[in-house]
Amino acid sequence: MRYVIILFLMFIGLLPTSQTLARATLADPIKLYGDEIYFDVFREGDKVGSHSVKFISDNESTIVRIAFSIEIDFLFITAYQFKYLSEAKWVEGQLDYLKVSVDDDGQEFELIANRKDQIFNVIGTNETFSTPVPIYPTNHWNSGVLNETLVLNTLTGLLNEVSIVAQDNENIPTEKGIIKAMRYTYSGDLNNEVWYDNEGRWVKLRFKASDGSIIEYVCKRCQGDASVKASQ
């Protein structure tokens, strides 16, 4: 059972443009999110895991650490586990380094990638290649991917062609209550739905797993509210 979790950020705002949001997010994600984003993960309405994104910034770069895990039980026995860890370094608005480790119920995958001048070099379990920068990984928080049609799938280590289209403005629950957020769909090599508020913050994710079940991310901390504990 492989849960293809594609994390993408897209926002074409009602007031700011997508390019404006991309610049704001890349400049300082902590101003948008605080130092952490946290989601509870549900499968068909049952909580099965969590997803966190932590930011560490200095004057020259931003380190982004992501941890995602799910555990599915059947008759009080763990039937399936998935664990994902990644660390990325962003410098001057570009992805400079990325390391990913995946354990998909015992099937392991690793990826190490780095930028050299205007080329991003990727070494993964499945394939090794180079691609021109900028390139955006499928790690949701970064709205710089808004104008892209090619993304780096951090679960497979492959480049995916995508089309990202705005759909509807909807009510989404967050730690600050119900907010308005735009729903966007990915199509092409990836098929998912993602929601962003009018500041470009990622607030919800939904996709269909390989077994046909629906996986949904519910925001526990995504509005930059430091008073809310992510572990709640």
Side-chain angles (χ1 to χ4, degrees), residues 136-200:
Y136 293 90
T138 52
N139 285 145
H140 15 326
W141 66 271
N142 193 330
S143 65
V145 75
L146 294 175
N147 301 308
E148 301 299 315
T149 57
L150 193 69
V151 294
L152 175 60
N153 187 327
T154 62
L155 292 182
T156 65
L158 304 177
L159 293 176
N160 287 168
E161 294 184 2
V162 296
S163 175
I164 307 171
V165 179
Q167 302 296 333
D168 303 306
N169 204 31
E170 300 175 358
N171 293 325
I172 302 298
T174 74
E175 77 271 28
K176 290 186 176 180
I178 300 297
I179 65 164
K180 287 289 186 181
M182 189 67 70
R183 177 170 60 91
Y184 300 86
T185 58
Y186 264 47
S187 61
D189 292 336
L190 307 175
N191 294 277
N192 295 283
E193 296 174 290
V194 65
W195 286 254
Y196 296 90
D197 70 12
N198 63 2
E199 297 295 330

Side-chain angles (χ1 to χ4, degrees), residues 204-221:
K204 183 177 177 178
L205 172 69
R206 183 167 64 202
F207 61 92
K208 182 180 290 188
S210 59
D211 67 345
S213 62
I214 300 301
I215 305 295
E216 188 168 77
Y217 282 34
V218 176
C219 165
K220 294 293 287 183
R221 181 180 173 187

Side-chain angles (χ1 to χ4, degrees), residues 17-42:
T17 67
S18 62
Q19 293 178 339
T20 300
L21 289 173
R23 288 196 297 270
T25 303
L26 288 174
D28 188 356
I30 292 178
K31 287 184 178 180
L32 282 180
Y33 294 113
D35 59 5
E36 183 178 16
I37 312 169
Y38 189 92
F39 290 87
D40 284 339
V41 180
F42 291 82

Side-chain angles (χ1 to χ4, degrees), residues 103-146:
D103 184 344
D104 186 353
D105 206 32
Q107 183 176 350
E108 296 184 352
F109 167 79
E110 292 185 350
L111 179 152
I112 297 178
N114 60 74
R115 177 172 60 121
K116 185 176 182 181
D117 298 324
Q118 296 303 304
I119 298 296
F120 200 67
N121 302 299
V122 180
I123 301 174
T125 300
N126 299 322
E127 189 169 333
T128 297
F129 61 91
S130 298
T131 186
V133 297
I135 187 70
Y136 293 90
T138 52
N139 285 145
H140 15 326
W141 66 271
N142 193 330
S143 65
V145 75
L146 294 175

Side-chain angles (χ1 to χ4, degrees), residues 64-129:
V64 183
R65 292 175 179 154
I66 296 174
F68 166 77
S69 65
I70 62 175
E71 181 175 302
I72 298 174
D73 297 329
F74 180 72
L75 297 178
F76 307 105
I77 298 175
T78 299
Y80 176 79
Q81 289 182 318
F82 181 98
K83 295 181 180 180
Y84 173 99
L85 296 172
S86 74
E87 179 171 296
K89 180 180 180 182
W90 291 79
V91 179
E92 296 180 349
Q94 289 196 27
L95 181 62
D96 191 66
Y97 170 83
L98 175 65
K99 181 177 181 181
V100 176
S101 175
V102 175
D103 184 344
D104 186 353
D105 206 32
Q107 183 176 350
E108 296 184 352
F109 167 79
E110 292 185 350
L111 179 152
I112 297 178
N114 60 74
R115 177 172 60 121
K116 185 176 182 181
D117 298 324
Q118 296 303 304
I119 298 296
F120 200 67
N121 302 299
V122 180
I123 301 174
T125 300
N126 299 322
E127 189 169 333
T128 297
F129 61 91

